[in-house]
Amino acid sequence: MIEIHNLTIKTIKDNRTLIDHLQLSTQKGDKIVIIGEEGNGKSTLLKCIYNDQLIADYCTYEGKVLKNDYSLGYLSQELSAQEKKLTITELFSENNWTKELLKAMDDFRIDSFASDKRIGDLSGGERFKYRFLKLLSLNPDVLLLDEPTNDLDIGTIEWLERFFQQTSIPVIFVSHDETFISNTANAIIHIELTNRKQTPKYTFTREPYESYLFQRENNLQKQEQIAKKQVSDYKKQVNKWHDVWNKAEHQHQNVSRSDPRLQKKIKSLKNQKKRMDKATEDFLEIPGVEEASEFHFDSTIHVHRHKKILELSLETLEIANKQLSQNIKLSITGAEKVAIIGENGVGKSTLLKIIMDQIKEHSSLKIGYMPQNYEDLLDPTLSPIRFLVTTGEKEAMTKAFTHLGSMKFTSDEMQQTIRHLSGGQKAKLLLVKMIMDGCEVLILDEPTRNFSPLTTPVLCQALAQYGGAIISVSHDRRYLKEVASAIYELTSEGLTKK
């Protein structure tokens, strides 16, 4: 179906190679996930497959993407300015009423596309539903989806899992959600940038995700063991050779310079050393792999277990004069790790903002906030360093460089404007700000939504060990299991502890 031959993608700004000679051929029933660290070019690869003009302002490419007259349906991570302005009616001005579309409408409990609501005004989950229905209405031969689960509630994620499992349409998708990947992917493209993001590497394999991780870890360990043994054996051989060589040299210089047997031995030893050195050219290298980011929250942060963080009582939860929920009560004391779940559009992000305002009003604790839309807090014209350090103090600058380095930012990425960062890098930047500010309460709206499967486990561990309080909205099943000490579900009737 889609065929990719020797695709190489390079950044225009610093001529850095993101993808190097990628080969791929899709088949009916493929569910191919693209994984890798933040900023590695996953979304760029997906855009290049769909329409190379989408990357023309920041990347060049060589090679061929053959679509063979198949139609592609593409779901981007973010809405375009034009999409935001469209009403639901305008989005569905032309449709193919396929069985898949009608079934999905029924599953989503959507019976009509006649609505003046703008796509940009919908919640993240509602936007996904309408945009995905639009893709189905185009009757595509191949689906290209960029982080499709980012804004979805657990029910919709499980619906999408079933769709993947049942459809014969090939799907190429970018995802960070390990549970979703495990339940859907039957092939993997793993993009890595090693050697401080200077050396590109990719792996393509047709196998389930957990099998790939197991085989990868085994292969890396074996390769490392072989590489180390080869070096160790070589050093032993060289030491023995030096012992023999030193004796021969001593005889040559002090005993009998003209002895033909000694001359022959010297020559033989020289040839032996050349053979030993040449053999090192075929040694396996210790495998270069991409390392996960590191999150170092201040270990001295400690909120006393009797410290009252929040006492919220809300008769109604409203947005734009529309009631979403009612009779909401939430009490948080000490370093609790609270997660709020609920269906899309029920008002979780709105509630999170109200909670933040309440804590600010009634507490002197330092608060860190990660919104769903990072641009609410990030000025796209600033560099990460300028965002973190406004004073120019040397000590603060050094601290910022150190934290960004531990999160695998290159020097160029630290200095370029924020608008060029990936979603995961923007999320990391907000976390660095919280770490540097010594925040004692973290308000996090979908904190893992843009992190890779490599980084998410590290972040979950750091948040679980964090000594402050965390109040979050999340549908990441790993995050809920490993970080949350209490889970509440928000419905139209109120907030209930699970």
Side-chain angles (χ1 to χ4, degrees), residues 446-492:
E446 297 284 3
T448 61
R449 64 196 294 265
N450 280 309
F451 286 136
S452 73
L454 190 65
T455 295
T456 296
V458 181
L459 176 60
C460 286
Q461 184 179 24
L463 291 176
Q465 295 172 352
Y466 170 68
I470 300 175
I471 307 165
S472 58
V473 167
S474 181
H475 298 112
D476 183 327
R477 286 162 285 187
R478 179 170 193 152
Y479 175 90
L480 294 174
K481 181 180 179 182
E482 296 184 6
V483 179
S485 58
I487 299 174
Y488 291 83
E489 183 175 13
L490 181 64
T491 67
S492 59

Side-chain angles (χ1 to χ4, degrees), residues 375-401:
E375 282 68 26
D376 289 349
L377 295 181
L378 296 174
D379 181 344
T381 65
L382 295 179
S383 69
I385 288 295
R386 288 291 299 148
F387 170 74
L388 294 173
V389 185
T390 56
T391 61
E393 291 180 17
K394 187 176 179 180
E395 186 178 343
M397 294 281 282
T398 301
K399 195 174 179 181
F401 276 114

Side-chain angles (χ1 to χ4, degrees), residues 400-444:
F401 276 114
T402 300
H403 279 295
L404 290 173
S406 72
M407 295 197 187
K408 310 310 173 191
F409 280 72
T410 65
S411 296
D412 286 338
E413 288 167 343
M414 295 179 196
Q415 303 285 0
Q416 71 183 17
T417 54
I418 290 172
R419 67 162 54 92
H420 291 111
L421 299 180
S422 70
Q425 288 173 313
K426 290 173 183 175
K428 286 179 179 179
L429 187 55
L430 291 172
L431 285 167
V432 170
K433 179 69 172 169
M434 296 178 205
I435 291 169
M436 290 183 64
D437 288 348
C439 293
E440 298 155 293
V441 179
L442 306 183
I443 311 287
L444 309 175

